[in-house]
Amino acid sequence: MEIALKHEKVAEIPAVNDFAKLFFFLKDNDINWRYFKYFRDISTLNDEITSTWLNINSKTLRTYRKPESNSKDNIKEHLVLLISLYKHGIEVFGNTEAFDQWLLSENKFLDNQAPKDFLGTITGIKFVDTRLTALEYGDNV
């Protein structure tokens, strides 16, 4: 994943299910505007979708991409988990476009909801990540 290596700390973001490492990553790193910009670079989805996941509006999301910005800790945690999920999704699907397409597609194994509909909460991100792991092992998801 070439784009991840362009950001110095992104390669170090732990897996969604590694709670202790995630806790210390969040504690020990300055999750700043660069992470918001990085997420925009790895996703093909628009700001409206991303801001919905972060429970903020699009204007606030754009503000968080500016060097002088500062966001709340819960938003930073949510963002880091989304980046971790994307790292996993790109690994499973081979590229961002295929992963984003899967996120947007209704899925009969998810009660005909799209995986993107679950990403507004930490628990939802963890759920979608478990579905990615299931796909890796041959499950229909």
Side-chain angles (χ1 to χ4, degrees), residues 43 81-82:
S43 174
L81 284 165
L82 285 170

Side-chain angles (χ1 to χ4, degrees), residues 87-99:
K87 285 174 55 179
H88 189 192
I90 292 166
E91 185 179 296
V92 170
F93 284 92
N95 61 58
T96 301
E97 292 78 15
F99 178 55

Side-chain angles (χ1 to χ4, degrees), residues 31-122:
I31 310 304
N32 58 32
W33 63 277
R34 287 182 179 94
Y35 288 81
F36 288 93
K37 286 186 77 154
Y38 173 77
F39 188 75
R40 181 186 60 193
D41 292 344
I42 63 167
S43 174
T44 64
L45 304 179
N46 63 38
D47 285 352
E48 187 175 313
I49 292 170
T50 303
S51 62
T52 300
W53 292 342
L54 294 171
N55 301 300
I56 57 177
N57 63 46
S58 298
K59 183 178 177 185
T60 301
L61 177 60
R62 288 188 292 275
T63 299
Y64 286 161
R65 290 191 191 118
K66 297 177 183 174
E68 65 278 359
S69 70
N70 193 17
S71 60
K72 296 177 182 177
D73 288 343
N74 63 319
I75 304 265
K76 292 175 185 180
E77 178 181 16
H78 204 130
L79 178 66
V80 167
L81 284 165
L82 285 170
I83 292 170
S84 181
L85 179 73
Y86 259 77
K87 285 174 55 179
H88 189 192
I90 292 166
E91 185 179 296
V92 170
F93 284 92
N95 61 58
T96 301
E97 292 78 15
F99 178 55
D100 280 343
Q101 183 59 46
W102 179 77
L103 285 175
L104 295 173
S105 300
E106 289 183 0
N107 190 314
K108 69 179 183 177
F109 297 104
L110 303 175
D111 289 334
N112 293 318
Q113 290 184 277
K116 74 167 180 66
D117 297 335
F118 296 90
L119 302 183
T121 64
I122 301 299

